[in-house]
Amino acid sequence: MDVRLRHAHQRPLQEHTPVARPYSLITGKPMNIEWSANWDDNLGGNSELLERDVILRKVQEDVKMEFERTYMFYVPRICEHCLNPSCAASCPSGAIYKREEDGIVLVDQDACRGWRQCITGCPYKKVYFNHRTGKAEKCTFCFPRIEVGIPTVCSETCVGRLRYIGLVLYDADKVLEAATEPDEKRLYQAQRECFLDPHDPVVIEEARRAGIAEDWIAGAQKSPVWRLIHDYEVALPLHPEYRTMPMVWYIPPLSPIVDEVTRSAGPATDVESHDVLFSAIDTLRIPSAYLAELFTAGDVTIVENVLKKLAAMRSYMRDINLGRDPKAEIPASVGMTEEAMYDMYRLLAIAKYDERYVIPSAHVEDAHRLEELATDCAVSEYGGGDSPFGADSGRGGPVPVAIQSRNEIAKRMSADRMGDPSDRSEGLTQ
């Protein structure tokens, strides 16, 4: 076997993806892939892993693990870039920090001493250890791209267009109070109370006084994340009971229920009507109690209200798409206006690129300092190989990596044919 395949990431770009047997970074010997950092997202998927699912233990009396009723869904858990990051609090060397400019949590590779307390301290288990470099690494929220207004790679490549990026203004003085809220079921609301309304004249004036640029204020006002959290109230934090105050929020899944309702109610019943869908929320294939343990520290009422809004939107838009008169009572039944429900549908279903990603660019006054931070990227060292952010990333090359990426994206978005490896710029194939 060509030993160079072990360093496939250092090889020039080719037409086919290189395949090689995996080697352990600890022993250097061949190994079989049996488990990985994100595979625990599949807990509850089968009987072997069922015992390890701490959430399912709390609701196991309501869940029958019969084969025909087995449920499963994926929760794409990246680093939450928390307001109160436990990884930073547990780092003995102070290598993990939260950037003041945008709230991204990073690992300073020069300061990291490989204590690995951050791995233990992160309740989401999103910090890992690179045995080759002896450093802790984690999601960097693709900050070289964010700095020039480009979305993260995971967001832009999401086939379902499910990820949104936007600004949320918050009151830093309320973080400690919210994180120490004694009632776990109030933690969700306590974190929401930390967020500031970007349309409030008082907030706008204080933001200007704090030195926040006008385009950042405008970005916060157009933020899709703010709208999903505040205006529509359908986005929820993952495990608020951890008290880290995560800044990656989720919309609970409205799992398939139509077939189940059809079997029980009969073919003559309009199973898509909002009355039927509301009454069927309790029969969802993914139990509401399970979702509540994920997103609201066990408060089922909040989760059910979100699911009812999604079901109402589905029923309301069905009438419009079928040419029937829309029913104002459907959005009213979940406390929304017709205009708000249509706007929520547009954002969730047919929003355009610049509506899903509202990312103001970094300002020139921050350019030098942010350029220096590029060398602190948690995945910028691969034993002498190229960085995954581009050939010039973090090495003082003539072309900043974010500009390099932006040019590639612009070319791809405007092309009228599928890409080819020969189309890539020379800087990315070295």
Side-chain angles (χ1 to χ4, degrees), residues 221-261:
Q221 294 172 345
K222 297 187 297 182
S223 170
V225 177
W226 166 255
R227 294 166 63 190
L228 293 172
I229 293 176
H230 180 268
D231 296 346
Y232 310 133
E233 298 183 349
V234 294
L236 303 173
L238 181 63
H239 288 301
E241 69 274 15
Y242 292 163
R243 301 178 184 275
T244 59
M245 303 184 68
M247 290 301 288
V248 177
W249 288 44
Y250 298 79
I251 299 178
L254 187 65
S255 56
I257 59 176
V258 173
D259 293 341
E260 183 68 24
V261 174

Side-chain angles (χ1 to χ4, degrees), residues 29-102:
K29 298 179 180 180
M31 62 178 292
N32 294 324
I33 302 297
E34 297 178 354
W35 200 255
S36 180
N38 292 331
W39 287 10
D40 59 346
D41 290 348
N42 293 351
L43 294 180
N46 58 53
S47 58
E48 179 182 354
L49 300 177
L50 178 61
E51 297 178 355
R52 307 181 192 179
D53 194 332
V54 295
I55 299 176
L56 198 57
R57 292 175 189 170
K58 300 180 180 180
V59 296
Q60 58 185 349
E61 295 181 0
D62 302 325
V63 179
K64 297 180 180 179
M65 289 301 295
E66 302 172 5
F67 175 79
E68 65 272 13
R69 293 181 59 84
T70 299
Y71 65 90
M72 182 176 176
F73 72 103
Y74 286 93
V75 180
R77 300 180 302 168
I78 66 171
C79 170
E80 302 291 314
H81 297 278
C82 307
L83 292 181
N84 182 36
S86 58
C87 59
S90 60
C91 179
S93 58
I96 301 182
Y97 61 98
K98 188 174 182 67
R99 298 209 308 188
E100 295 181 358
E101 305 82 26
D102 46 29

Side-chain angles (χ1 to χ4, degrees), residues 189-233:
Q189 186 60 35
Q191 183 171 354
R192 284 192 57 191
E193 291 172 359
C194 291
F195 299 150
L196 302 174
D197 185 352
H199 300 280
D200 188 337
V202 177
V203 173
I204 295 174
E205 185 60 31
E206 289 296 326
R208 290 169 177 165
R209 186 177 293 112
I212 298 179
E214 290 295 330
D215 58 337
W216 281 62
I217 297 175
Q221 294 172 345
K222 297 187 297 182
S223 170
V225 177
W226 166 255
R227 294 166 63 190
L228 293 172
I229 293 176
H230 180 268
D231 296 346
Y232 310 133
E233 298 183 349

